[in-house]
């Protein structure tokens, strides 16, 4: 049984998506979610499970690499991913807004709980459907 191929956004569509997120209910979180998918290539499970410890150095400053740990990665094969400058900037803004603990997940729900992978998938599906992507 063949799987469905994900549709790709053009550069213009991606820029439009980023602009639309500025007026969303949680613009900092949503921008990071979109950038984690597009600029770091993370899957929904990895986006949901990413913690601040995986994106920052021991001194608490943002790293230049994402450390995707085995327990959230597909086939339990973690990896290091260079962090895109736009993603780094968005993470810095989210961190200043949320003031998280090191072991908190990067993306949190409206009530402060960690997101799960289904929530991430549903957010993308709803966003794309609502805005005609």
């Amino acid at each position: 049984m063949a799987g469905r191929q994900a549709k790709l956004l053009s550069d213009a569509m991606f820029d439009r998506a980023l602009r639309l997120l500025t007026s969303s209910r949680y613009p900092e979180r949503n921008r990071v979610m979109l950038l984690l998918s597009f600029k770091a290539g993370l899957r929904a499970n990895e986006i949901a499970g990413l913690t601040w410890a995986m994106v920052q150095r021991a001194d608490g400053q943002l790293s230049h690499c994402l450390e995707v740990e085995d327990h959230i990665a597909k086939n339990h094969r973690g990896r290091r991913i260079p962090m895109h400058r736009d993603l780094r900037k968005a993470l810095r803004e989210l961190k200043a807004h949320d003031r998280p603990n090191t072991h908190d997940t990067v993306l949190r729900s409206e009530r402060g709980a960690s997101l799960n992978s289904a929530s991430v998938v549903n957010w993308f599906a709803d966003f794309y459907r609502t805005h005609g992507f």
Side-chain angles (χ1 to χ4, degrees):
M1 181 166 134
R4 293 184 350 197
Q5 178 66 40
K7 293 183 174 72
L8 300 176
L9 294 183
S10 67
D11 290 341
M13 291 169 70
F14 181 74
D15 291 341
R16 179 175 167 240
L18 287 174
R19 283 192 308 276
L20 289 167
L21 291 177
T22 61
S23 61
S24 67
R25 192 167 180 178
Y26 304 103
E28 295 89 1
R29 180 199 71 181
N30 295 344
R31 182 177 177 84
V32 168
M33 193 170 347
L34 187 69
L35 290 168
L36 284 170
S37 177
F38 282 86
K39 298 297 184 181
L42 297 188
R43 298 168 178 90
N45 193 50
E46 295 167 337
I47 291 171
L50 194 70
T51 65
W52 285 101
M54 295 179 207
V55 299
Q56 58 189 16
R57 302 182 314 226
D59 65 2
Q61 297 298 311
L62 287 175
S63 176
H64 291 280
C65 288
L66 298 172
E67 298 277 345
V68 179
E69 295 179 357
D70 293 346
H71 68 278
I72 66 167
K74 184 176 181 179
N75 297 326
H76 301 285
R77 298 184 66 134
R79 60 199 185 281
R80 294 181 84 182
I81 303 168
M83 194 180 309
H84 190 277
R85 67 180 181 281
D86 294 344
L87 175 56
R88 196 162 191 264
K89 179 182 177 195
L91 284 166
R92 188 178 301 116
E93 291 169 2
L94 181 63
K95 186 177 179 184
H97 183 263
D98 285 352
R99 305 213 186 273
N101 292 321
T102 302
H103 299 290
D104 285 348
T105 54
V106 172
L107 301 174
R108 305 189 65 72
S109 73
E110 182 174 7
R111 292 177 181 85
S114 299
L115 294 179
N116 61 43
S117 58
S119 298
V120 173
V121 169
N122 290 338
W123 180 87
F124 275 101
D126 184 58
F127 179 74
Y128 292 157
R129 184 175 40 260
T130 300
H131 298 292
F133 289 108

